[in-house]
Amino acid sequence: MCFPDYLRALPPKIGPDATALGWVFQYALIDTAGKHTLAEIRSYQDWYLRYCLKSVAGVAEVAPLGGFGRQYQVNLDPNRLQAYGITVNRVINAVRAGNNDVSGRLIEFGGTEYMVRGRGYARSLQDFGNIVLTASESGTAIRVKDVGQVTIGPDLRRGVCDLDGQGEVVSGIVIMRQGENALDVIERVKAKLREIEPGLPTGIRVIPIYDRSELIRRSIDNLKATLVEITLTVSIIILMFLWHFPSAMIPILTIPIAILLSFIPFRMLGITANIMSLGGIAIAAGALVDAAIVVVEQTHKRLEEWERNGRTRDYASVIVGAVKEVAAPSFFALLVIAFSFLPVLTLEAQEGRPFRPLAYTKTLAMIVAAILTITFDPALRVFVSRVKKFDFRPSWLCRAANALLVGTVQSEKKHPISRLLIRWYEPVVAWSLRWKFAVIGSALALLLLTIPIYRKLGSEFMPPLDEGSLLYMPSTMPGISIAEAQRLLYVSDGILKQFPEVDRVFGKAGRSETATDPAPLSMLETVIILKPKYEWRRVHTWYSSWAPEWVKPVLRHLTPEHISQEELVAQMNNALKLPGVSNAWTMPVKGRIDMLTTGIRTAVGLKISGNDLKRIEEIGTQAESLLSSLPETRSVFAERTGAGYFLDFDWNREGLARYGLSIDDAQAVIQNAIGGENITTTIEGQERYPVNVRYMRDFRSSFDGIGRVLVPAAGGQRQIPISQLASIHVTSGPAMVRNENGLLTGYVYVDIVGRDPNGYIEEARRLLRDNLQLPPGYAVSWSGQYEAMQRVRQRLKAVLPLTLFLILLLLYFNTRSLTKTAIIMLAVPFSAVGAIWFLYLVGYNISIAVWVGLIALLGVDAETGVFMLLYLDLAYEQAKREDRMRSLADLREAILQGAAKRIRPKFMTVSTMALGLIPVMWSAGTGADVMKRIAAPLIGGIFTSFVLELMIYPVIYEIWKRHSVPKPRTA
C-alpha cells in the first residue's frame, strides 16, 4: 500500500487503553491573580500537572485542551534567502543540526571515569538565531537571524475551550483506563490534586468542571434511600397482617439476611454497588419474604387448630408439620422468580452491560432467600416460638416481654383486616362459581381490550437517566476557522450561563489532544452543569396556593414544583437560534455512548451510503428538508461531506522539467515554506517544545504572496516563483471521509422532541419513502437508538420464549402435573392486562427497562399462581381426608375454604411485592426514571393478576376437579 509522504513521516504511537466514555473528570486552570498567560498555564498543564495525574492508578491519559502550546518559530524572509542564495531546505537542515547533543562514550583520568557529552541543544532564541547557515565569499558567517526572525509563538491548534462564556481557559480531561471503577479513579485523582495544590503557581487554581462521581453518588444514595423505604413498607405490611411480633420477625429478618448473604457471591463475581446492582435488590426485596410469609401463615393456621383441639401434640412438631406442607412449593416459587430472570443475562452490547448486574443481584438474592426458606426460617420459627408466657416482676416489663416475645396468634376470623377481606371476598367467590362462563368471558374480553392499548404505547431504547448535566452539541458547516469557532463558543456559553438553573458552562470546539476525541472544529461540545433541582425556578402547580410548606415536600414527588428539564432544554434551544448552527441536546454519558456505538450523536439519525460523496450530500440535504417538516423535529442537520475548502497547487510538469525539478522538490516548498514543519524539539529540563521553520506571515497570507513563494532550482542558484510552476486555485472537497462496510457514508443528525423514537422513525420512514428518490447503488438506513432497538427486538424474540420455557420446566418439576402448570401460567395473560394499562396511564414508552420489568413479572406471575393453587389444593386434600368430598357442593365449600378463608397469606404476598415497589415509583432523583420503568409493569401486572386470579382460579379449579366428585345417585 502506498502512503503519502506526510503520513509516512508521522511517528507511530500507541493509543490509550480507553474510550471517550472514560472521560470521567474534567478541570480548568484559572489564573485568579492575572499574572500568567495562557501559554504559561498550558506549559504548566502539559509538563507538570498532566504527569502528576497520569501517575494515578486507573488513569489512561490526561488530555490537554485550550491555551497555546509553546513553539520556537523561525520565520524566514524569502527576499533575504534569495539574496544570500539559501534555500528553505538548507535552513531546515541547519536548524536541525544546530540543536543536538552527542555522546563521546567514556574517558578515564586518574582512576575516575568521565562520561563525555557534547552539549549542543539550543536553549534560547539567541542560540537559534546564531546557527550558521553558510559563509559569504568574504568568509562572513550567514546565520539564521540574518535571513529571518526567531520568536516564541503558539503552535498550531485544532481545539479551543471556554468557561462560562468568560473567555478561553486551559483545561485537562482525565480519561479512565478501560475496565476501571470510575468512582475509585476519581477519588484518587482528587486526592492527587489536593496533594499538589500547595505547589501550584501563584494565583493558579484547579477548578473541577465535570465530575462523574457526583452522578454515581447521587444515584447510589437515591437507591439506598429507596431500598430502606421498601424494607420499611414490607415490614409494616407484615406486622399489620400477622399482628404477632415473634412471627413477623421471621420474614422481616429474612430481607436483610438474604441481602447480606447475597453480597458474598456479588463480591466473588466482581459486582460493585451501582444503580443497577442496587436496583436488582430493590426489585427483589418485596418477593424475598413471600415464602417466609407463606410458611409463617401456615404455621399460624396449624397452631390455631392445635389450640382448638386442646394441644394434643408437641408444639414443635406442629410447627415442623406446617412447614413441610408449604416449604416445597414456596421454595420452588422463589426459584422460579430467581431463574426466570436469567435470560436477561443474554442481552448484549449497550443494553446488556447495565442490566446484567441487576439480573445477577436479583437472581442471587432470590436464590439465597429460597435457601433460607427451608433452612433458616423454620429453625428460627422453632427457636422464637414460645407457648408459656413469662411471669416476673415488674409487671409492666413482663407484659412488654409477653407482647413482643410470646404474643397471641390471631386467627384470620378475628384479625380485623383478614375479617374484612374474607367478608368482601366470600360473596365474590360464590358469585364467580355460580357464573363461571360469564367470569371467564369477561376476562377474555378484558384481554382483547388491552391489545389496542398496547399498540398505542410508544417505543424507545433506553429511558432517560437524569445525569444532572446536559451536553449541547451544535453542528456548523465544515471549513469554519478556529477564530470563528471560538467566537461562536463564547456567544453560546454566555447565553447558557444566564439561565438560573445553570451552575457551570464548559464549551469545547474541535478536539482535545487525545486519540479518543476525533471531533472537527465544526463540532461544538458544551457541558452544562446544572444546579440542584431545589434551586430551579418555581412553577405554579395544583397545590402551590393552598398546601402548607411541611406538606409540599411530599406533594413534590407527585408533581414537581420546579421547571422540568424538558422545558429548560426547550428554553435553551429557543435562546440559541444562531445562524448557521444546528442544535442537538443530550447528556454527557448518554451522548458518548451513542457516538461510540453508532457514530450518531443524536437520538436518531440517518446513514446514507453510496460511492460518490457529492451525491450522498445531495441526498442528505433533501432528507434534511423533508424531515424538518415533521412537527416533532427539533433540529435536523445533514453533514456537508464535500464542503471543505482547499487551496490546490496543480503542478505544471513541463515547467518543472524545464528547471530540472521533481515533484518532491516542488512539494517540499509547500510543506516547509507555506505550511511549516516542526523539524526538531528543544530540551528544557522536563519540558519539550517544537521548532518550526517557514516563511514570515506577510509572505504567505494572501494569494499573491503565496504565488511569489520561491522554489529553489539548480542547487539553490536559481529561485523560481511557485506561480510559474503551478496553477493555484481554491476548490471544495470532502473535509472528512466516512467509510462504513466498504461504502462511503454521510450522516444526518435528527434531534426529536415530544415523541417516542420508534413512532417518529415510522412516520419519517414513510415520508422519505414517498418523497426521496434514491439513485441506484445508494441506500438510506436509520441509526442511533433505532439500531439498538432492532437488536433488542431480535434478542427478545429468543429471550421471552426461553423465559417461559424455563418457568414451565420449573413449575412442572414442582407440581408434576401439566394441568396444574397450565393453570398457574394463566396468570401471565392476566398480569399483561395490568402491566400494559398501567404503562399507558403513567405515559411510559416500551423500552429495554420495561421489558426487564415484564420478564421479572413472568416469575412473579408463576409465584402468585403457585400460592393460589397451593391453598386450593390444601383445602381440597383436607376435605378428602375428612371424607367431606361427596358432592359438588362439598367441592365448592372446599374451594371457598381455600380461596376466601385463606386470603390472608395470598394478600400478604401480593401486598409485599406490589406495595413494596411503591417507594420506587415514589422516588425522585438520579436513577429513578430507569427503576420506575422496571417497577411500573410489575405493579400493574401484580394487581390485575391477583384480582383476576381471585375470580378465575376458583372457577378453573372447579371445572378441573368436578369430574372427581361422586355424582349424586338418582332414585
Side-chain angles (χ1 to χ4, degrees), residues 373-538:
T373 300
I374 57 176
T375 54
F376 172 77
D377 292 353
L380 185 62
R381 177 73 211 188
V382 174
F383 179 74
V384 302
S385 297
R386 182 181 176 90
V387 180
K388 187 177 180 181
K389 293 183 178 292
F390 294 103
D391 185 13
F392 58 85
R393 293 187 180 278
S395 58
W396 66 269
L397 185 60
C398 181
R399 286 194 300 272
N402 284 324
L404 291 176
L405 302 178
V406 180
T408 302
V409 176
Q410 298 285 342
S411 67
E412 289 185 83
K413 293 180 179 179
K414 294 181 179 180
H415 193 283
I417 299 178
S418 299
R419 187 168 63 246
L420 181 65
L421 290 174
I422 292 172
R423 185 184 303 168
W424 167 80
Y425 184 43
E426 272 188 329
V428 173
V429 177
W431 183 86
S432 298
L433 293 174
R434 195 163 53 249
W435 302 96
K436 291 186 287 291
F437 296 104
V439 171
I440 295 174
S442 300
L444 292 174
L446 189 58
L447 282 173
L448 293 176
L449 286 174
T450 306
I451 294 175
I453 298 299
Y454 173 75
R455 297 175 68 88
K456 289 183 178 180
L457 294 177
S459 180
E460 62 185 354
F461 174 58
M462 286 282 283
L465 174 66
D466 182 10
E467 298 182 20
S469 55
L470 298 172
L471 184 60
Y472 170 56
M473 299 184 68
S475 298
T476 64
M477 293 297 179
I480 185 173
S481 68
I482 193 166
E484 184 64 20
Q486 192 173 36
R487 188 192 66 81
L488 185 60
L489 199 62
Y490 293 165
V491 172
S492 60
D493 288 1
I495 293 173
L496 290 171
K497 188 63 175 68
Q498 293 175 3
F499 284 84
E501 293 79 12
V502 173
D503 183 26
R504 287 283 190 182
V505 180
F506 183 85
K508 176 178 80 73
R511 64 185 300 271
S512 56
E513 294 185 12
T514 169
T516 62
D517 185 12
L521 275 173
S522 59
M523 176 177 163
L524 278 63
E525 298 178 36
T526 299
V527 177
I528 307 165
I529 308 299
L530 302 175
K531 296 177 182 178
K533 289 191 175 179
Y534 61 80
E535 297 183 26
W536 289 21
R537 282 171 288 168
R538 292 282 187 260

Side-chain angles (χ1 to χ4, degrees), residues 47 67 87 198 232 239 282 284 369 443 468 516 618 622 689 695 747 790 899 917:
W47 305 111
T87 65
L232 291 176
L239 286 168
T516 62
E618 292 173 356
Q622 295 174 31
Y689 298 110
Y695 274 13
Y747 289 173
Q790 292 296 104
L917 292 172

Side-chain angles (χ1 to χ4, degrees), residues 250 294-296 298-303 306 313-329 373-383 385:
I250 297 171
V294 171
V295 170
V296 167
Q298 184 66 11
T299 305
H300 273 209
K301 196 68 177 177
R302 293 298 174 243
L303 288 175
W306 178 69
R313 296 167 56 196
D314 179 60
Y315 182 76
S317 65
V318 175
I319 295 175
V320 172
V323 171
K324 288 181 178 179
E325 287 181 317
V326 296
T373 300
I374 57 176
T375 54
F376 172 77
D377 292 353
L380 185 62
R381 177 73 211 188
V382 174
F383 179 74
S385 297

Side-chain angles (χ1 to χ4, degrees), residues 463-466 844 849 923 925-934:
L465 174 66
D466 182 10
Y844 289 166
S923 64
T926 304
D929 289 329
V930 176
M931 299 312 302
K932 285 178 180 179
R933 265 66 173 187
I934 299 175

Side-chain angles (χ1 to χ4, degrees), residues 234-253:
V234 171
S235 301
I236 291 171
I237 293 171
I238 294 170
L239 286 168
M240 285 175 56
F241 276 93
L242 291 180
W243 214 254
H244 185 242
F245 190 77
S247 298
M249 287 307 298
I250 297 171
I252 290 174
L253 287 175

